[in-house]
Amino acid sequence: MAKVTTTGQVVDAKGEPLIGVSILEVGTTNGTITDIDGNFTLSVNEGATLEISYIGYKTQTMTVRPQLGQIVMKEDTEVLDEVVVTALGIKRSQKALSYNVQEVKGDALTAVKDANFMNSLAGKVAGVQISSGATGAGGAARVVMRGMKSLTKDNNALYVIDGVPIFNTGSSGGEGQYGDMGGSDAVADLNPDDIASVSMMTGPSAAALYGSAAANGVVLITTKKGQTEKTNITVSNSTTFSKAYIMPEMQNRYGTSSGLFSWGAATANRYDPSDFFNVGTNIINSIALSTGNSKNQTYLSASTTNSDGILPNNSYNRYNFTARNTTNFLNDRLTLDIGAQYIIQNNKNMVSQGQYYNPLPALYLFPRGDNFDEIRLYERYDTDYGYMRQYWPYGDGGMSLQNPYWIQNKILRTSEKKRYMLSASLKWKVTDWFNITGRVNLDNSDYRNRNEKSASTLTTFCGVNGGLEDAMRQERSLYADVLGNIDKTFGEFRLNANFGASIYHTSMDELFLAGDLIIPNFFQINNINFSANYKPDPQGYQDEIQSVFASAELSWRNQLYLTLTGRNDWDSKLAFSDQASFFYPSVGLSAVLSEMFELPEIITYAKVRGSYTVVASSFDRYLTNPGYEYNAQTHNWENPTVYPMDNMKPEKTKSWEIGLNLKFWENRFNLDATYYRSNTLNQTFKVDIPSSSGYNKAIVQAGNVQNQGLELALGFQDEWAGFGWSSNATFTLNRNKIVRLASGSINPVTGEEIQMDNMPVGWLGKENVAPRVILTEGGSMTDIYVYNQLTRDNNGNIKVDQNGNLSMTSSSTPTKVGDLDADFNLGWTNHFTYKGIDLGVVLSARVGGLAYSATQGILDYYGVSEASATARDNGGIPINNGMVDAQKYYQTIGTGEGGYARYYLYSATNVRLQELSLNYTLPKKWFKNVANVTLGVVGRNLWMIYCKAPFDPELSAATSSNYYMNVDYFMQPSLRNIGFNVKVQF
């Protein structure tokens, strides 16, 4: 039979060349693999049929022609879903999973880049609440999966990189008026261009093999490695510009009355606080090399992230260097995978909220009749002192007010961090059905955090010559494990089993010193005045968890899957307790109905699943063996105040879930639905005991916090004549309930039965002014109560005296007004493609819950809010059947430290255009088929479609707090970001 030559190019739906596609002449062994441009030339028999196949795409067959031209491969959704990365980096068939795992590809993180890639996942995953930190670029994020479970511990998810947990520490901000300024965290250090995919394991069942650290769910990050039989160099740039977006509405038409108050007559001055803010920038540059063959694959990358915030003299910079190499040797029996990352990060003047070191209170309250230009010259030479002193003629106003420019330029808060991560794994393929993998990971960080307070800074913070805080901190993390894997078929049955052991050692050491300066503005430790007002505060700890674990998956005909797991942890925090370790199991069952039964033709795939899991987490360190406590103010050691306990148990979460996975109409539609319930027991409570015992508190373990909810994800994907549309909508509903506090438990010291009707957790601002979070049996962990309301007469009307004055009545019995949690969350992600054009749109919505603005109450009190001006325009506030003077009204419901809660609560419901991106991949022929070039314009947080709160309720000033959320106390405003992307791939 005569031979003919055929040529062509294989591309995906976007026109991108597919490299390494297999093209085989049916019935022979004649074949080829496409080259780096997706091109092929093949000599075959005349009239032959070709079979074109590529992993993740539908196999195509076609008859030979001299020129086949461009062959477009279509994704095979069912194939793509077959394998997913799960706990410990184990790859499992998606059919087999008895729990919900949602995977997000790396492209979703880099379409609209953020200095902290976790913010790019907001609205894209069901069952996860992601709140951006209020510190701006690089700030820590709050990630809570399936509701808060622990009353006293951090409820953030665990982060895992390539199967290894990371030590995710950082500055997350604090609660209330005097909270910390906040900062970055460890997961924000990662370069998003190095990430291949992120698996969100929202439930304990998915994360059971990670043990105690995974009770709150897992964010599993899989990084890139070198690719086989091709070499790629990728260079990219993302540049975005930021402007303050959601700010309080403030007036500038009524002038100064006295001091800082703006209750005066109309003024021609036009002061706009937003003029203080700069246009922020976030520039991310990245270059990556991926190369390899069947024996060795290499990945190298470097990236820079340089951000300037909207506040003057605020910046975040990060430099990432990554190397990874994978080698197969000894006839592919051994695979060595080694990797290294080095990260340099520094930030300056990060501001979250509160009074301390925050320029916003003075900026917002500046008297409207005065000239703001006078204080732009924030320092002036003082001949008496011989140096430049702060200019701020208004005093601190009881709120630690200072010149906002002085705060940002002369009170320098800096953090410098150097971090390196080294990893190595060796996999030994003992037989075709059994292999052993050993892994080790070292993750070390060194910090230098300083706060330099120049002379004439408010004496609340330092002496007249200035002050210095200097902290050197080391964080060390060592993880090692060994894992055996069995994959064996017995007739119609298949066994996948994993067993192993691990050790995880973490430590922190910090040397902290603070004090007043002797020589003004000479910021060195040897210039601290050690005779008075100095504060040494060294801290540190070491933790270690040793574990053994195993899992077994037994499948029948690839239709029915039974999964069992078990893990036992020996945690150092359990030292001196009666229980030296804890064990927790899980069991799951998955059935692929579409392969077991004949289903209606429209249903392409159907799976039901269910699982039950128990996970445990240890209590805080030192509770079983408390030592002396160091008082950094008095420099004395003090006796411990908590009675030592030896019969403590780990906090335990019992969880079950059921789910359904469906695909319709030849995989065009897919539906994932999960219902879950979890109960967290053995919560740790501190109860009062007689001082005669030598202690103030004792530990009681009781309580039961329940979370139950629904996760839904509905997807669609199809193409018509070159036009493609993929869409994914998510729905998240969680109901949190406190089933039990400590009532009925026995006080371990007195032997008396404990009565705990409620448990006050904290104020959302000023005590007896702001709302208070109080836990009660039958309530939730975010229930808020108020104590005050305007005084009413016997008829229920608001009481107004003869002079038009109002008053506030305080009750000893608080009134519940709602909760902070959302009723449900929605997300909708869309991608439209056509001939190299890709339009991405992400909408997100949060429905329900309350938000509190202390800022609005203070602005009203000082007369600088738009509401106070509008009331003056209207002649006052309508009360009963008359009008009350606007100043008297707002200075009754507002105070200088926040507004009374009942009058400053708002709906936290909001709907926004979360992301928008438009990218165009230029025709490759324009560049002589050498490079793929993609240009794009991007935007984040472009349009707040609906929001009644005077601030963005999705921002979080304290990312690790269990209750301090949806609160604005002069919090930095949210940002609207617009920019562009450039990506070149050779």
Side-chain angles (χ1 to χ4, degrees):
M1 187 175 293
K3 290 281 187 176
V4 297
T5 299
T6 183
T7 61
Q9 183 188 39
V10 184
V11 298
D12 63 12
K14 298 179 182 179
E16 296 271 359
L18 292 175
I19 305 164
V21 176
S22 172
I23 303 175
L24 181 67
E25 180 183 349
V26 176
T28 74
T29 58
N30 298 331
T32 188
I33 294 177
T34 58
D35 66 12
I36 190 170
D37 297 319
N39 298 312
F40 65 89
T41 300
L42 184 63
S43 179
V44 295
N45 295 311
E46 186 176 2
T49 299
L50 298 182
E51 183 178 85
I52 305 168
S53 60
Y54 190 66
I55 295 175
Y57 290 80
K58 294 181 179 179
T59 299
Q60 295 190 37
T61 58
M62 56 182 58
T63 304
V64 168
R65 298 191 303 272
Q67 286 188 335
L68 289 173
Q70 197 174 72
I71 302 169
V72 180
M73 301 288 283
K74 293 186 176 181
E75 290 184 348
D76 187 340
T77 307
E78 189 168 352
V79 172
L80 285 174
D81 289 344
E82 280 187 355
V83 176
V84 65
V85 179
T86 63
L88 298 174
I90 299 169
K91 293 183 178 180
R92 293 189 60 198
S93 167
Q94 191 144 36
K95 293 184 192 176
L97 299 182
S98 57
Y99 45 78
N100 192 25
V101 174
Q102 300 168 80
E103 189 174 71
V104 180
K105 297 297 183 183
D107 291 346
L109 307 177
T110 56
V112 184
K113 290 183 181 178
D114 191 280
N116 185 342
F117 77 91
M118 283 306 301
N119 294 325
S120 300
L121 291 169
K124 298 175 182 176
V125 184
V128 184
Q129 180 185 350
I130 300 175
S131 301
S132 300
T135 52
R142 184 174 187 267
V143 180
V144 177
M145 297 182 173
R146 295 187 178 178
M148 295 184 294
K149 303 171 182 65
S150 177
L151 297 176
T152 57
K153 296 168 62 177
D154 188 348
N155 283 282
N156 274 297
L158 171 71
Y159 293 95
V160 175
I161 302 177
D162 294 325
V164 176
I166 69 169
F167 193 26
N168 190 45
T169 62
S171 179
S172 64
E175 303 93 355
Q177 302 162 271
Y178 314 111
D180 296 334
M181 288 299 93
S184 187
D185 59 2
V187 73
D189 290 342
L190 301 184
N191 173 18
D193 287 294
D194 289 341
I195 298 174
S197 66
V198 176
S199 294
M200 307 293 274
M201 301 180 175
T202 51
S205 296
L209 281 180
Y210 280 117
S212 58
N216 298 320
V218 168
V219 179
L220 178 58
I221 301 161
T222 302
T223 60
K224 293 178 180 177
K225 59 171 64 176
Q227 297 177 324
T228 303
E229 303 301 341
K230 56 183 175 180
T231 299
N232 286 334
I233 297 177
T234 304
V235 181
S236 66
N237 168 270
S238 171
T239 300
T240 57
F241 304 94
S242 307
K243 292 198 69 175
Y245 184 30
I246 307 296
M247 288 182 60
E249 294 184 3
M250 289 177 274
Q251 65 94 7
N252 61 8
R253 56 190 184 276
Y254 289 96
T256 310
S257 53
S258 63
L260 285 164
F261 291 98
S262 296
W263 290 102
T267 178
N269 286 356
R270 289 296 178 261
Y271 167 66
D272 186 354
S274 65
D275 292 340
F276 177 81
F277 297 110
N278 297 327
V279 175
T281 59
N282 183 35
I283 302 172
I284 302 176
N285 294 299
S286 179
I287 182 171
L289 167 68
S290 175
T291 186
N293 53 39
S294 60
K295 295 295 183 181
N296 191 83
Q297 302 90 44
T298 301
Y299 178 82
L300 302 171
S301 77
S303 73
T304 64
T305 301
N306 303 104
S307 302
D308 288 321
I310 60 172
L311 294 175
N313 206 23
N314 162 229
S315 63
Y316 171 88
N317 300 287
R318 189 181 71 237
Y319 306 92
N320 294 73
F321 305 92
T322 300
R324 185 174 183 181
N325 193 83
T326 306
T327 305
N328 301 320
F329 51 96
L330 292 182
N331 295 324
D332 295 339
R333 289 288 180 182
L334 289 180
T335 301
L336 176 64
D337 191 347
I338 57 175
Q341 292 191 55
Y342 184 61
I343 300 159
I344 302 171
Q345 187 250 102
N346 62 73
N347 61 71
K348 180 170 60 176
N349 291 347
M350 280 191 161
V351 175
S352 176
Q353 58 104 49
Q355 293 183 9
Y356 289 174
Y357 313 126
N358 186 354
L360 299 188
L363 177 71
Y364 288 178
L365 297 179
F366 185 79
R368 295 311 193 254
D370 293 10
N371 185 3
F372 189 72
D373 288 335
E374 287 189 8
I375 71 161
R376 294 184 192 276
L377 188 62
Y378 57 86
E379 58 180 350
R380 303 182 181 188
Y381 189 77
D382 191 310
T383 56
D384 292 336
Y385 286 89
Y387 53 77
M388 304 292 283
R389 289 178 59 82
Q390 177 181 187
Y391 178 71
W392 179 250
Y394 298 100
D396 73 346
M399 298 178 62
S400 307
L401 299 181
Q402 301 183 81
N403 188 306
Y405 291 101
W406 178 272
I407 291 174
Q408 290 302 103
N409 290 281
K410 288 299 189 176
I411 306 179
L412 294 181
R413 293 88 64 198
T414 61
S415 176
E416 297 178 353
K417 176 181 180 181
K418 293 180 175 63
R419 179 183 183 188
Y420 61 88
M421 292 184 283
L422 305 175
S423 63
S425 71
L426 182 63
K427 180 179 180 180
W428 176 26
K429 187 178 180 181
V430 182
T431 69
D432 291 339
W433 55 270
F434 175 60
N435 65 73
I436 298 175
T437 301
R439 296 183 297 190
V440 63
N441 180 273
L442 184 68
D443 187 353
N444 291 347
S445 297
D446 295 295
Y447 298 80
R448 183 73 180 271
N449 301 323
R450 288 168 62 88
N451 189 346
E452 300 176 358
K453 293 164 276 192
S454 295
S456 76
T457 292
L458 197 66
T459 53
T460 303
F461 307 114
C462 62
V464 293
N465 291 332
L468 173 66
E469 297 176 7
D470 199 341
M472 288 176 284
R473 179 184 178 104
Q474 290 184 334
E475 294 176 354
R476 301 289 183 258
S477 170
L478 176 65
Y479 177 90
D481 68 16
V482 59
L483 183 66
N485 304 282
I486 296 172
D487 187 350
K488 188 74 171 175
T489 301
F490 307 91
E492 295 182 335
F493 293 91
R494 182 180 178 183
L495 174 66
N496 277 285
N498 315 97
F499 56 91
S502 69
I503 182 170
Y504 187 33
H505 185 94
T506 56
S507 65
M508 185 278 288
D509 288 290
E510 181 177 85
L511 294 175
F512 175 88
L513 194 62
D516 299 337
L517 300 181
I518 299 173
I519 301 174
N521 300 330
F522 180 52
F523 300 104
Q524 296 297 329
I525 291 178
N526 57 4
N527 189 40
I528 288 179
N529 183 356
F530 290 103
S531 63
N533 298 328
Y534 77 96
K535 179 182 178 182
D537 190 16
Q539 298 182 25
Y541 60 82
Q542 295 191 51
D543 293 333
E544 184 169 293
I545 301 177
Q546 301 173 3
S547 310
V548 294
F549 46 82
S551 69
E553 175 193 296
L554 183 64
S555 64
W556 175 71
R557 290 186 175 181
N558 292 328
Q559 301 174 357
L560 192 63
Y561 299 83
L562 174 65
T563 305
L564 302 170
T565 73
R567 179 174 172 124
N568 200 86
D569 283 353
W570 289 265
D571 193 328
S572 61
K573 295 177 184 177
L574 298 176
F576 304 100
S577 67
D578 293 341
Q579 189 168 342
S581 69
F582 42 92
F583 173 78
Y584 31 90
S586 78
V587 58
L589 189 65
S590 171
V592 183
L593 302 181
S594 53
E595 296 187 11
M596 300 174 70
F597 308 103
E598 190 71 29
L599 297 177
E601 187 176 344
I602 64 169
I603 300 178
T604 312
Y605 174 81
K607 183 185 84 171
V608 294
R609 51 186 168 79
S611 62
Y612 175 79
T613 307
V614 178
V615 292
S617 61
S618 182
F619 40 79
D620 291 339
R621 63 182 70 88
Y622 309 133
L623 290 181
T624 55
N625 187 32
Y628 290 101
E629 299 171 0
Y630 180 71
N631 188 320
Q633 299 293 342
T634 64
H635 312 155
N636 294 320
W637 290 92
E638 299 174 350
N639 290 324
T641 58
V642 179
Y643 187 85
M645 302 290 293
D646 58 6
N647 61 342
M648 297 184 66
K649 301 175 182 178
E651 189 173 283
K652 184 176 292 187
T653 298
K654 299 180 179 180
S655 174
W656 59 263
E657 67 177 78
I658 56 174
L660 176 68
N661 300 87
L662 296 174
K663 295 179 182 179
F664 307 92
W665 287 295
E666 298 181 347
N667 298 327
R668 289 185 179 88
F669 291 89
N670 66 276
L671 173 66
D672 297 339
T674 304
Y675 178 78
Y676 62 87
R677 176 181 290 179
S678 68
N679 290 79
T680 303
L681 313 171
N682 299 338
Q683 307 269 0
T684 300
F685 297 87
K686 291 182 179 180
V687 296
D688 295 327
I689 57 175
S691 57
S692 58
S693 65
Y695 301 88
N696 297 328
K697 300 285 185 180
I699 298 296
V700 172
Q701 289 188 303
N704 182 351
V705 176
Q706 182 182 94
N707 284 277
Q708 58 180 330
L710 184 66
E711 298 169 355
L712 295 175
L714 177 63
F716 168 78
Q717 183 171 336
D718 204 356
E719 296 176 14
W720 311 270
F723 173 79
W725 178 24
S726 63
S727 179
N728 187 61
T730 62
F731 173 84
T732 301
L733 180 148
N734 183 80
R735 293 292 179 265
N736 178 273
K737 180 181 179 181
I738 299 173
V739 179
R740 184 193 172 204
L741 292 172
S743 291
S745 300
I746 302 301
N747 189 308
V749 176
T750 65
E752 299 174 350
E753 186 175 291
I754 297 170
Q755 301 296 324
M756 185 178 286
D757 297 328
N758 60 68
M759 179 181 173
V761 177
W763 297 91
L764 302 181
K766 175 66 175 177
E767 183 177 343
N768 292 320
V769 174
R772 192 177 195 181
V773 178
I774 301 177
L775 311 183
T776 61
E777 293 184 357
S780 78
M781 287 179 62
T782 63
D783 287 346
I784 52 177
Y785 291 74
V786 299
Y787 288 81
N788 304 283
Q789 66 174 347
L790 289 171
T791 304
R792 294 181 178 270
D793 60 23
N794 294 333
N795 296 320
N797 297 317
I798 294 174
K799 189 174 181 179
V800 183
D801 68 14
Q802 294 180 349
N803 297 317
N805 296 315
L806 302 101
S807 62
M808 194 69 63
T809 298
S810 180
S811 171
S812 59
T813 303
T815 302
K816 180 180 175 180
V817 290
D819 63 78
L820 301 168
D821 268 341
D823 293 335
F824 58 88
N825 293 83
L826 297 167
W828 189 21
T829 302
N830 290 274
H831 273 279
F832 305 94
T833 59
Y834 182 72
K835 293 185 177 181
I837 298 173
D838 186 314
L839 173 64
V841 182
V842 180
L843 296 166
S844 65
R846 171 229 169 94
V847 179
L850 293 175
Y852 169 65
S853 177
T855 305
Q856 187 66 39
I858 298 171
L859 299 183
D860 285 347
Y861 179 77
Y862 279 91
V864 295
S865 67
E866 174 60 27
S868 69
T870 301
R872 280 173 273 185
D873 293 343
N874 296 333
I877 300 292
I879 298 288
N880 302 330
N881 295 318
M883 302 292 283
V884 171
D885 178 71
Q887 181 175 358
K888 291 180 178 180
Y889 176 78
Y890 282 117
Q891 290 192 335
T892 302
I893 67 169
T895 76
E897 294 178 290
Y900 282 104
R902 188 183 295 270
Y903 306 98
Y904 290 95
L905 288 169
Y906 306 86
S907 169
T909 298
N910 65 87
V911 182
R912 75 185 70 207
L913 178 58
Q914 183 82 30
E915 285 184 11
L916 183 65
S917 62
L918 178 62
N919 293 289
Y920 178 54
T921 301
L922 304 179
K924 195 170 183 180
K925 63 183 180 181
W926 290 5
F927 307 95
K928 297 182 179 181
N929 292 324
V930 173
N932 287 318
V933 179
T934 301
L935 306 177
V937 292
V938 298
R940 179 189 297 278
N941 205 29
L942 290 178
W943 179 24
M944 184 66 81
I945 301 170
Y946 178 90
C947 181
K948 294 299 184 182
F951 66 99
D952 187 344
E954 297 302 290
L955 279 182
S956 183
T959 56
S960 63
S961 174
N962 289 343
Y963 70 91
Y964 196 84
M965 63 186 81
N966 309 353
V967 179
D968 174 22
Y969 194 99
F970 291 104
M971 186 166 61
Q972 192 174 164
S974 63
L975 305 177
R976 173 187 279 159
N977 307 293
I978 300 174
F980 59 87
N981 289 337
V982 179
K983 181 177 179 181
V984 181
Q985 187 175 57
F986 301 95

